[in-house]
């Protein structure tokens, strides 16, 4: 333990304002340095002065109850302010991470006609089983999922036999912002011979496929 650490430990236990505490620290350091200049070892000086608690208790005995109450009150307020700041930061972080939607027409990143064309192209590739093309146009995380086995399992949840595609229905889309990232999300119901399937397709800013959900 050096002089500053010892004095700072004492100061943290003294219940007074910052100005008085600063003066006490200055005086304690001066006393220790003076005794060291006279040839005393720091270990001996600290041993003779006493523990940090003992010295702090001595100072606190001479500090008025009113000043000590004010010190405690200020300390509580500082802790409360710090907790409020942390809470505000967490709220902002959660808000930033939560997905927020906006009209695709107001997007700076996506064009409604382009997104609709991409959706229909994705569905046509799925129906054709062209997984190579699908993987080439998808983000890395999606590529392992774009294969015949995975897609067959998804389709079987609706029907074992979809039949041929008949027509595309209306397209609904929006821009989704999550964690600072922008996505276009669209839904379209497609009619097949034996079933109607609703696709929810997600694309990133580069119009790469980032998500598929079929129901």
């Amino acid at each position: 333990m050096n002089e500053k650490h010892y004095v700072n430990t004492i100061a943290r236990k003294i219940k007074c304002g910052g100005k008085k505490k600063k003066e006490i620290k200055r005086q304690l350091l001066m006393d220790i340095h003076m005794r060291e200049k006279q040839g005393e070892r720091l270990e001996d000086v600290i041993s003779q002065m006493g523990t940090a608690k003992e010295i702090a208790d001595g100072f606190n005995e001479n500090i008025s109850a009113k000043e000590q109450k004010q010190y405690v009150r200020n300390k509580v307020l500082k802790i409360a302010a710090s907790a409020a700041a942390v809470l505000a930061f967490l709220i902002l972080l959660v808000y930033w991470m939560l997905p927020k939607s906006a009209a695709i027409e107001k997007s700076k990143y996506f064009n409604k006609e382009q997104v609709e064309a991409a959706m229909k192209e994705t569905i046509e590739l799925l129906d054709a089983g062209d997984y190579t093309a699908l993987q080439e146009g998808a983000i890395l995380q999606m590529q392992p999922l774009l294969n015949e086995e995975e897609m067959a399992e998804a389709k079987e949840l609706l029907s074992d036999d979809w039949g041929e595609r008949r027509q595309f229905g209306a397209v609904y889309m929006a821009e989704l912002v999550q964690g600072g990232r922008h996505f276009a999300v669209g839904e379209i119901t497609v009619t097949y011979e034996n079933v109607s399937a609703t696709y929810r397709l997600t694309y990133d800013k580069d119009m790469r496929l980032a998500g598929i959900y079929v129901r």
Side-chain angles (χ1 to χ4, degrees):
M1 180 184 293
N2 58 35
E3 299 95 327
K4 286 186 178 181
H5 183 269
Y6 177 61
V7 170
N8 285 336
T9 303
I10 295 170
R12 282 196 293 269
K13 299 178 184 297
I14 300 174
K15 299 174 182 179
C16 66
K19 187 175 181 180
K20 181 180 288 188
K21 188 173 290 192
K22 186 176 180 180
E23 177 59 29
I24 291 172
K25 286 170 64 175
R26 188 187 68 80
Q27 188 60 53
L28 285 171
L29 282 172
M30 282 182 58
D31 292 344
I32 292 171
H33 289 155
M34 186 176 296
R35 292 179 64 172
E36 285 183 307
K37 285 181 180 179
Q38 293 173 352
E40 294 186 56
R41 296 188 310 155
L42 177 61
E43 294 83 356
D44 296 332
V45 173
I46 291 175
S47 176
Q48 292 171 17
M49 289 179 66
T51 66
K53 184 179 184 306
E54 290 171 342
I55 298 174
D57 287 346
F59 279 108
N60 287 331
E61 287 177 3
N62 297 313
I63 296 172
S64 68
K66 182 178 179 181
E67 187 173 355
Q68 290 195 42
K69 285 181 181 179
Q70 184 63 43
Y71 165 81
V72 172
R73 189 180 298 113
N74 290 341
K75 190 172 183 179
V76 170
L77 287 174
K78 284 181 181 179
I79 293 172
S82 297
V86 171
L87 181 60
F89 171 77
L90 290 175
I91 290 172
L92 286 173
L93 180 63
V94 170
Y95 176 78
W96 186 71
M97 290 301 296
L98 285 174
K100 295 170 281 293
S101 62
I104 200 80
E105 291 83 2
K106 297 181 180 180
S107 175
K108 297 178 181 179
Y109 304 96
F110 302 106
N111 175 275
K112 185 176 180 180
E113 289 73 24
Q114 183 185 20
V115 174
E116 181 173 344
M119 292 173 66
K120 290 179 178 179
E121 181 184 4
T122 297
I123 293 167
E124 288 169 353
L125 291 173
L126 284 167
D127 290 342
D130 191 347
Y131 298 108
T132 299
L134 284 165
Q135 290 173 5
E136 289 175 354
I139 62 173
L140 288 174
Q141 294 90 329
M142 279 294 298
Q143 290 176 10
L145 304 176
L146 296 171
N147 57 68
E148 185 174 358
E149 183 179 353
E150 292 284 348
M151 291 300 105
E153 287 184 8
K155 288 184 175 183
E156 285 174 4
L157 293 175
L158 291 179
S159 173
D160 292 335
D161 182 14
W162 285 29
E164 295 296 319
R165 185 178 68 250
R166 294 302 190 192
Q167 64 179 12
F168 290 107
V171 179
Y172 303 92
M173 64 184 75
E175 180 180 17
L176 191 70
V177 183
Q178 183 173 21
R181 300 174 65 192
H182 294 255
F183 301 92
V185 181
E187 281 199 1
I188 183 172
T189 297
V190 183
T191 303
Y192 293 85
E193 287 180 316
N194 304 318
V195 70
S196 289
T198 299
Y199 292 84
R200 179 181 293 173
L201 303 173
T202 304
Y203 300 88
D204 68 6
K205 286 196 300 183
D206 299 319
M207 289 307 298
R208 298 183 69 82
L209 184 63
I212 294 178
Y213 176 68
V214 185
R215 67 177 192 275

